[in-house]
Amino acid sequence: MTDRPTANSKARARNRPTADDYFQGIRDRNLSMLARAFTLVESSSPRHLKVAEELLTRLMPLTGNALRIGITGAPGAGKSTFIEAFGLLLVRQGKRVAVLAVDPSSGVSGGSILGDKTRMTNLSSEKDAFIRPSPSAGTLGGVAHKTRECMLIAEAAGFDVILIETVGVGQSETMVADMTDCFLGLMLPGAGDELQGIKRGLLELVDVIAVNKADGKNKDAAELAARQYHNALDSITGRHFDDAPAILTCSARENLDIDKVWKAIEKRCRLRKDSGDFQRRRQQQNLRWLWSIVEDQLRHVMHTHPAVQAICNDVETNVLDGSMPPAAGARRLFSALNLDPSNL
């Protein structure tokens, strides 16, 4: 017996915004509709996917005018405090700022606290600022699954600067570096220990290093850390002088030298625009985004296709007990889709 649509479900369907509704709301800078558009593109519901794709296609001509800045740092580096101070600086300069703050999801329940907005109360109360916390939901790279889509929506809504806060620090942060124009690494004083444990891959990606908490008794330690980064960077990464990240100190808590961080970001982006690298980076980022979507959709097909599901348990059992090599198991799963990787 199939369930018939109830009067309530029909009413809800009639009241669902269309792609036109979302588009006009975003054009009108309606923050309520903007939040609903973020929820739409983050949804995994099949009925939302088509609307989201239509909306993004229509919004594309309105995107690309914002400056995209990724911000990462180890736990305790003060990312939320810094972003609030940084965002307030930009708002006072007449800019509209959107913050896409990614909170780590629980590996057990999948839940997320989504507390970034509550930690940025002053910024969230500004009419020219918008903070969107999203769960990482297990996505690698320090970003949520649909951060790129949310970034485009924010750009279409007229925000001048998009700040993407990552869940932490590590080599998987390549993803956020691969969707932004400038990548800021927020560091703590005491670089001696930190340089030993910091990921080499991160230093190869960042455009600006800001040693935070450079105030009070930490001021000397922060300046020492900055000098140590200067001395160690060439030997660690081998980057050329003209591509070396700017290194400076600041204090988000005391609102000291935050403007210098902004000037360093502006300078890096200006140099890239003058050389033509800015636009080339964005084009390459779009290509990598394309193939990331292809890989995600292929993975989804492999996990949901009936023919694959019919043999999946047997293949996994054989791989677990050692009677089938993983490569052979993968080939069998592909064969269920009439695909042979060796012939592709």
Side-chain angles (χ1 to χ4, degrees):
M1 179 178 178
T2 58
D3 294 332
R4 293 182 178 179
T6 64
N8 285 339
S9 66
K10 289 180 180 178
R12 284 196 300 271
R14 286 195 300 269
N15 292 328
R16 289 187 194 121
T18 64
D20 286 338
D21 296 328
Y22 285 114
F23 180 79
Q24 193 58 51
I26 291 168
R27 287 292 306 272
D28 293 342
R29 301 184 176 182
N30 182 310
L31 296 185
S32 175
M33 189 58 77
L34 177 65
R36 295 183 71 175
F38 284 149
T39 301
L40 172 76
V41 300
E42 289 175 344
S43 172
S44 58
S45 169
R47 66 182 173 85
H48 291 154
L49 294 177
K50 186 176 180 179
V51 179
E53 185 174 321
E54 180 183 348
L55 174 63
L56 288 168
T57 300
R58 294 186 61 185
L59 290 176
M60 283 300 290
L62 306 177
T63 66
N65 297 318
L67 196 61
R68 307 165 182 174
I69 303 172
I71 301 176
T72 190
K79 290 194 296 295
S80 295
T81 304
F82 174 85
I83 289 173
E84 178 164 61
F86 190 63
L88 289 170
L89 170 74
L90 298 177
V91 167
R92 287 164 189 153
Q93 291 183 1
K95 295 178 174 59
R96 299 184 71 231
V97 179
V99 180
L100 306 181
V102 184
D103 279 358
S105 299
S106 166
V108 178
S109 67
S112 181
I113 297 174
L114 301 179
D116 279 293
K117 193 166 186 175
T118 63
R119 292 195 292 268
M120 304 180 197
T121 53
N122 292 329
L123 184 59
S124 62
S125 65
E126 291 285 341
K127 65 179 180 62
D128 288 327
F130 187 86
I131 301 173
R132 173 68 180 192
S134 300
S136 62
T139 304
L140 295 177
V143 294
H145 184 59
K146 294 298 180 70
T147 297
R148 291 184 179 93
E149 287 84 347
C150 289
M151 180 177 67
L152 294 180
I153 290 173
E155 289 185 350
F159 287 95
D160 303 300
V161 180
I162 316 293
L163 304 178
I164 302 175
E165 178 192 4
T166 72
V167 297
V169 63
Q171 285 177 308
S172 61
E173 302 293 82
T174 52
M175 191 179 290
V176 73
D178 212 21
M179 67 175 70
T180 54
D181 304 314
C182 190
F183 193 29
L184 169 66
L186 208 60
M187 307 301 181
L188 284 163
D193 293 335
E194 194 172 344
L195 279 170
Q196 296 299 320
I198 198 166
K199 301 295 187 182
R200 173 180 176 141
L202 177 65
L203 291 182
E204 293 173 339
L205 294 171
V206 291
D207 300 296
V208 178
I209 292 175
V211 183
N212 193 23
K213 304 188 177 182
D215 56 69
K217 63 181 181 180
N218 288 326
K219 192 174 189 311
D220 290 342
E223 291 176 350
L224 174 62
R227 289 195 298 271
Q228 289 177 317
Y229 279 116
H230 271 295
N231 295 335
L233 203 60
D234 287 341
S235 61
I236 291 176
T237 66
R239 288 170 67 165
H240 299 296
F241 176 77
D242 58 354
D243 191 42
I247 303 173
L248 58 159
T249 63
C250 67
S251 171
R253 186 179 64 180
E254 300 296 331
N255 203 23
L256 298 173
D257 295 331
I258 304 299
D259 59 326
K260 292 182 179 179
V261 178
W262 171 236
K263 288 176 182 176
I265 291 171
E266 281 189 306
K267 180 179 179 181
R268 175 54 64 103
C269 292
R270 185 171 61 252
L271 290 172
R272 283 183 171 154
K273 287 180 179 179
D274 290 344
S275 69
D277 187 49
F278 190 91
Q279 188 60 29
R280 283 194 297 271
R281 276 171 59 94
R282 285 198 170 185
Q283 290 171 341
Q284 290 302 312
Q285 287 171 357
N286 282 339
L287 277 181
R288 285 190 283 269
W289 185 10
L290 164 68
W291 287 107
S292 173
I293 293 172
V294 170
E295 290 169 4
D296 284 344
Q297 292 183 351
L298 179 58
R299 189 179 298 110
H300 177 74
V301 169
M302 291 297 290
H303 282 290
T304 59
H305 195 281
V308 175
Q309 291 298 302
I311 64 170
C312 187
N313 286 339
D314 289 342
V315 171
E316 288 183 346
T317 298
N318 292 336
V319 170
L320 283 171
D321 65 22
S323 62
M324 179 183 292
R331 185 179 299 279
R332 188 175 173 201
L333 293 176
F334 271 109
S335 69
L337 298 175
N338 294 318
L339 296 174
D340 184 348
S342 63
N343 294 330
L344 296 179

